[in-house]
Amino acid sequence: EASYPERFLYAIRCPPHGRAARWLVFLLTILMLWAVVWAVKEDEALPYHSYFGMIILFPLCIIAGLNVQQIRLPPLLGMLLLGCLLRNVPVINFAESIDKQWSSALRAIALVIILTRAGLGLDPQALKKLSFVVLRLAALPCLCEAVTVGVAAWGILGFPWSWAFMLGFIHSAVSPAVVVPSMLKLQEEKLGTDKGIPTMVIAAGSLDDVIAISGFGIALGIAFSEGNLAMTLIHGPIEAVAGLAFGLIFGVTLWYLPNKDSSRVVFYRFALIFGGGLFSVFGSRTLELPGAGALACLTMAFVAAHGWRRDGWAGNNEVSQIFARLWQIFQPLLFGLIGAEVDISKVKVDLIGSGTGVLFIGLTIRVIVSFFVMFGTELNWKERFFVPFAWLPKATVQAAVGSVALDTAREKGSDPEFIELGTKVLAMAVLVIIITAPLGAVAISLTAPRLLNK
């Protein structure tokens, strides 16, 4: 019952303590990190250079996330918006100078962490019971939205068919970076876990991305007429099989290595599963099977955790706890860097109206199909209404592949028409991120407590 003057005097007392001490340690750590980078890289650590951009992005995204959390919205929303501001607002556009390769690598590492953590937390019983529903939820909304957006882009935006469907598959991919953390939060709060809803959505999300990336690759190959069309068509199934096979083999290996009686079993299990996840994501890119990485990472973690449970490890084991701590570090980096990928200058004013119309036509079909996919399950009406909200956010795949068509057109020295189409595809990908990532995150946060059983 201290008065405000007494609280103030207590807060500034030396040595620092409580919240003031935590913030001072945090700021001192960031300052020391910057000082070390400056000592090594000199000019690269100064404002408007790559390293400074990354160092300033991290603490500001944490602060933005905490502030947004105070109004009971997901912290990732604040991180996304802060990253976008640091890219697009003059004077403070420090994120614009961040090296693209570093940004891509850090986002990939963060995705490995969240997908591995999700795989370790999947409920095998719920997944077994919902396996057919997972396949329906992954395939039908994705394909229906891709076709709808493709037709709308052909009719409204005047895209050629191959480019229209390329845009459709870019639109149709949900974002594991937004969906998975939201579902893990629901698992922690025991919302919807009685019927395995978070597990179902997490598992379907990875397959959804494989389908979307595969469809995009096929449309890209047709648009630029590269290679054998038959090989292009079977590329998607090859990615899915490769991801599942690697995840299954490596996951089973982790049942036996390291030995469960080893004194350092936690360290080695963490090192092997993290290394396997990094290899699956980066290796799949090198092998030009980008859709296989996320599926392999999720499968490997799920299979490994299934074997560990038989040895007596609970779902929330020591390895899961390490990944949870790592996520606290990489979450602001992931969402801040995704926000920093949004270049508002690439969104042409004349494209905003028609592009938004195409986007919402596709989202409407996705919501309707997602709702009807849930028929024939144990879910009640409220729970069926929740699934379409969980299936709205898009950011990761759009940020990753949105510029691929434009880059390909430039590399091949295509005619100005293809470069113009590539620019429009990139602008539409930016528009998708700006609208659906915050909208989906807020929708999940607000509807889950009202529509799901605790």
Side-chain angles (χ1 to χ4, degrees), residues 36-382:
V36 170
V37 173
W38 173 80
V40 176
K41 301 297 292 186
E42 298 184 9
D43 290 348
E44 281 296 308
L46 297 178
Y48 306 108
H49 289 79
S50 182
Y51 291 106
F52 182 86
M54 283 190 288
I55 291 171
I56 200 71
L57 181 79
F58 178 69
L60 291 180
C61 281
I62 291 178
I63 294 168
L66 291 173
N67 283 327
V68 169
Q69 206 168 14
Q70 292 297 314
I71 55 175
R72 299 192 177 184
L73 291 176
L76 63 89
L77 183 58
M79 297 168 188
L80 278 169
L81 293 175
L82 196 282
C84 188
L85 289 175
L86 289 179
R87 170 64 186 268
N88 294 284
V89 177
V91 182
I92 63 166
N93 55 339
F94 302 115
E96 189 176 8
S97 57
I98 293 176
D99 183 82
K100 297 297 181 187
Q101 288 185 325
W102 275 100
S103 174
S104 177
L106 287 171
R107 283 186 278 124
I109 293 170
L111 274 176
V112 168
I113 292 168
I114 193 60
L115 287 170
T116 305
R117 187 181 169 205
L120 293 172
L122 288 178
D123 183 351
Q125 298 301 322
L127 193 57
K128 182 179 178 181
K129 187 169 61 175
L130 295 167
S131 56
F132 182 58
V133 181
V134 167
L135 291 173
R136 292 199 324 240
L137 184 60
L140 292 178
C142 175
L143 292 173
C144 290
E145 183 180 16
V147 171
T148 303
V149 170
V151 173
W154 173 79
I156 298 174
L157 301 178
F159 278 29
W161 281 113
S162 57
W163 285 82
F165 283 109
M166 194 191 307
L167 179 64
F169 280 107
I170 290 176
H171 270 240
S172 64
V174 297
S175 173
V178 180
V179 172
V180 173
S182 300
M183 293 303 108
L184 290 177
K185 188 170 184 292
L186 298 187
Q187 283 184 337
E188 292 169 2
E189 296 173 354
K190 304 295 183 186
L191 285 169
T193 52
D194 55 331
K195 295 180 182 175
I197 293 173
T199 290
M200 175 186 67
V201 173
I202 289 171
S206 181
L207 286 173
D208 175 280
D209 286 351
V210 171
I211 295 168
I213 292 172
S214 302
F216 170 78
I218 292 169
L220 184 71
I222 294 171
F224 290 96
S225 303
E226 277 195 349
N228 187 302
L229 181 58
M231 286 301 298
T232 304
L233 291 173
I234 65 171
H235 200 260
I238 289 174
E239 288 188 358
V241 171
L244 286 169
F246 178 79
L248 182 63
I249 293 169
F250 200 79
V252 171
T253 302
L254 294 179
W255 293 359
Y256 307 104
L257 293 174
N259 188 290
K260 63 179 181 179
D261 298 322
S262 169
S263 60
R264 297 183 177 179
V265 64
V266 174
F267 170 76
Y268 284 118
R269 281 181 172 176
F270 163 73
L272 286 171
I273 200 168
F274 191 30
L278 291 172
F279 173 75
S280 64
V281 170
F282 287 102
S284 64
R285 291 182 181 181
T286 303
L287 296 172
E288 297 185 356
L289 298 170
L295 188 60
C297 195
L298 190 70
T299 305
M300 175 186 60
F302 170 69
V303 172
H306 181 63
W308 296 346
R309 286 189 184 94
R310 295 187 306 179
D311 294 337
W313 273 28
N316 188 26
N317 54 60
E318 290 94 331
V319 173
S320 297
Q321 291 167 14
I322 294 173
F323 276 103
R325 295 188 193 103
L326 274 177
W327 177 240
Q328 292 177 354
I329 297 171
F330 277 87
Q331 183 187 22
L333 280 174
L334 174 61
F335 293 115
L337 289 170
I338 287 177
E341 287 291 318
V342 176
D343 186 354
I344 294 177
S345 65
K346 296 276 175 61
V347 182
K348 295 186 176 180
V349 176
D350 60 341
L351 192 66
I352 292 177
S354 55
T356 304
V358 170
L359 169 62
F360 277 99
I361 290 170
L363 285 181
T364 302
I365 296 299
R366 169 175 279 271
V367 167
I368 293 170
V369 174
S370 301
F371 175 74
F372 283 106
V373 160
M374 292 296 103
F375 278 85
T377 66
E378 295 180 359
L379 274 60
N380 60 36
W381 283 96
K382 283 186 176 181

